[in-house]
Amino acid sequence: MSPSIPQQIIGLSTSQKVFKRLLDVLLSLILIPTLLFPVSILIILATIDTKIFGLFFQNRVGQYGKEFTIYKIRTYDRNGEVSKFSKKIRKYKLDEIPQILNILLGQMSFVGPRPDVLEVMSTLSKSDQVILSIKPGLTGPASLHYFNEEAILAEQEDPIAYTNQILTPKKNAINKDYIKNYHIFNDVNYIYKTTLHVFQNMAL
């Protein structure tokens, strides 16, 4: 059963939602034509690398607990293994670029909590369900704070326990603070910082 919250729950104001959506649409319309060719190349390379069609589809939980299909560059093969090429794609967050289409469709936003699978989102506590009052994001304050999350998890003896007990509660707290203190300029800042992080990682 999908998690759900009343649509009147306290979150962003109507004007904040309108300006946030305008920013999403404007950036999407600019970026999609610009990134269409490189994303097509990534899909072809991922298809060759994983030997499965290079675009990955998965159900995620979005605003108000409604599920939607997310788009990503495939990084796992049929055996669930990640190649060196795929690891680089994931490190630079290039596998997330197709989600700009999700943003244009109104299923996601450029900034917000990362969308997760039903099994995870259905365990949200009542106080944490406020994060479902906004659209999930391509990036956000929690994503930036844990930009190298895979490297952090690789150092843990029990990555699943660490995620459940440490990462998820901290991310939820960061996301709730983002909603409570929302401002459109914060979104612009998070988008800028994410872009900076990606290019810095590529330079390493």
Side-chain angles (χ1 to χ4, degrees):
M1 182 177 179
S2 298
S4 61
I5 61 172
Q7 295 195 14
Q8 66 270 22
I9 193 170
I10 296 175
L12 305 189
S13 68
T14 300
S15 61
Q16 287 174 329
K17 290 178 181 177
V18 168
F19 282 112
K20 187 174 178 63
R21 181 59 184 155
L22 286 175
L23 177 63
D24 287 339
V25 172
L26 178 62
L27 282 180
S28 297
L29 291 175
I30 292 172
L31 290 174
I32 287 177
T34 305
L35 296 172
L36 185 60
F37 179 72
V39 168
S40 298
I41 296 299
L42 284 174
I43 292 173
I44 292 171
L45 292 175
T47 301
I48 296 170
D49 183 54
T50 63
K51 297 180 177 59
I52 318 175
F53 180 54
L55 193 59
F56 176 70
F57 307 90
Q58 187 180 47
N59 284 345
R60 296 291 176 93
V61 176
Q63 188 179 31
Y64 304 124
K66 296 177 182 177
E67 290 188 86
F68 69 99
T69 301
I70 200 172
Y71 308 119
K72 299 181 70 172
I73 301 295
R74 187 180 295 278
T75 54
Y76 290 92
D77 63 19
R78 294 185 187 277
N79 298 318
E81 297 179 353
V82 181
S83 68
K84 288 183 179 180
F85 169 76
S86 293
K87 284 181 180 178
K88 287 190 176 182
I89 296 295
R90 293 170 67 88
K91 178 182 178 181
Y92 304 144
K93 310 299 181 182
L94 300 181
D95 59 318
E96 311 286 0
I97 294 177
Q99 287 157 42
I100 296 176
L101 179 57
N102 289 118
I103 295 171
L104 184 61
L105 293 173
Q107 299 163 328
M108 290 180 60
S109 176
F110 272 97
V111 181
R114 284 296 296 159
D116 216 323
V117 295
L118 178 60
E119 291 77 11
V120 173
M121 300 304 284
S122 61
T123 63
L124 284 174
S125 67
K126 193 163 187 178
S127 63
D128 287 341
Q129 287 180 3
V130 67
I131 68 176
L132 293 174
S133 68
I134 64 172
K135 294 173 184 177
L138 182 62
T139 186
S143 300
L144 279 168
H145 190 80
Y146 293 105
F147 192 81
N148 296 315
E149 181 177 334
E150 290 193 12
I152 295 173
L153 291 176
E155 297 174 351
Q156 309 305 317
E157 290 185 10
D158 189 339
I160 295 177
Y162 186 82
T163 296
N164 294 336
Q165 298 170 16
I166 306 295
L167 285 186
T168 298
K170 286 187 176 180
K171 285 181 180 180
N172 289 343
I174 292 171
N175 287 324
K176 287 191 291 185
D177 186 67
Y178 162 75
I179 295 170
K180 181 180 179 181
N181 300 292
Y182 179 80
H183 196 287
I184 191 67
F185 290 137
N186 290 339
D187 276 10
V188 174
N189 187 42
Y190 292 134
I191 293 169
Y192 167 73
K193 285 184 176 180
T194 300
T195 305
L196 198 62
H197 269 296
V198 170
F199 281 107
Q200 285 176 339
N201 265 11
M202 287 183 171
L204 295 177

